[in-house]
Amino acid sequence: RPGLRIAHAYWDAESIEAVRGESNVVKIFQEHERRITAQCKANATDEVDTGLRHQNDNPVKLLTSGPERRVETPFEASGKVRYEERVEWWEDADDSNGLTVFGHYALHQSIVRTASAICCDYGVAQRYTERIAPGFDGNHKLRLGAVRIPEKLIVFDDVTQQQL
């Protein structure tokens, strides 16, 4: 639909063109992984840069989990020391092509909306952890939303709604 783009995690026109019309996404992913591995070996990149190249230079990986960058100060997340972080790409997204609806980022705070992008994932994939936590009363705090266009409304899986 003109003025609306739907992305799993990230909208990148170049990556979309690289996979458009392909029927075997696993094969494309693996081909890019082999290419990137060879380039990293030839250029002797460190472990963090190699990981970032695999994340950011493989169109399948980039579209399904978004861009990352190296951090100055490592941090711990999910029991692992991280040397990279996700890029909040929506902050600088070009709005000339309309609204991009995306997920995958599990943004727990209030509605994330810019002039050109809105996230509809509010941690729903982490519900298992929420359910097994002591004291869980059956009410989920983590939610998934659906964006209704042209109403400019987000409808959550607990049936609550919020105007955008």
Side-chain angles (χ1 to χ4, degrees):
R1 168 182 178 157
L4 179 65
R5 304 182 300 185
I6 309 297
H8 179 79
Y10 179 55
W11 185 272
D12 180 66
E14 187 177 316
S15 294
I16 290 168
E17 284 307 312
V19 300
R20 187 182 303 279
E22 296 291 339
S23 60
N24 189 339
V25 178
V26 173
K27 179 182 172 192
I28 296 167
F29 173 82
Q30 291 170 340
E31 287 172 359
H32 283 282
E33 288 295 289
R34 284 190 291 275
R35 173 187 56 81
I36 294 165
T37 298
Q39 290 172 344
C40 289
K41 284 181 182 176
N43 296 322
T45 59
D46 71 15
E47 188 176 326
V48 175
D49 281 343
T50 297
L52 288 170
R53 294 279 308 274
H54 279 281
Q55 178 65 38
N56 296 327
D57 293 352
N58 186 325
V60 176
K61 186 83 170 161
L62 188 60
L63 293 171
T64 58
S65 58
E68 293 184 357
R69 65 179 162 231
R70 185 185 283 258
V71 295
E72 289 185 30
T73 305
F75 62 96
E76 187 175 329
S78 301
K80 177 184 172 190
V81 176
R82 300 270 311 194
Y83 297 89
E84 61 284 316
E85 66 183 357
R86 287 179 156 177
V87 174
E88 294 178 346
W89 60 269
W90 54 89
E91 296 292 335
D92 300 315
D94 174 17
D95 65 352
S96 64
N97 290 310
L99 180 66
T100 300
V101 177
F102 68 99
H104 188 74
Y105 276 76
L107 302 168
H108 301 160
Q109 66 267 32
S110 60
I111 303 269
V112 173
R113 171 83 154 93
T114 66
S116 59
I118 184 168
C119 181
C120 61
D121 179 357
Y122 297 87
V124 73
Q126 297 171 8
R127 281 190 172 170
Y128 171 76
T129 305
E130 194 176 36
R131 282 193 305 272
I132 63 171
F136 177 65
D137 63 2
N139 294 311
H140 292 284
K141 293 180 180 96
L142 305 174
R143 305 177 295 171
L144 182 64
V147 178
R148 292 187 61 177
I149 303 291
E151 295 90 345
K152 294 188 177 177
L153 185 72
I154 188 163
V155 180
F156 293 100
D157 57 354
D158 64 0
V159 304
T160 60
Q161 301 179 8
Q162 187 169 342
Q163 197 70 45
L164 299 176

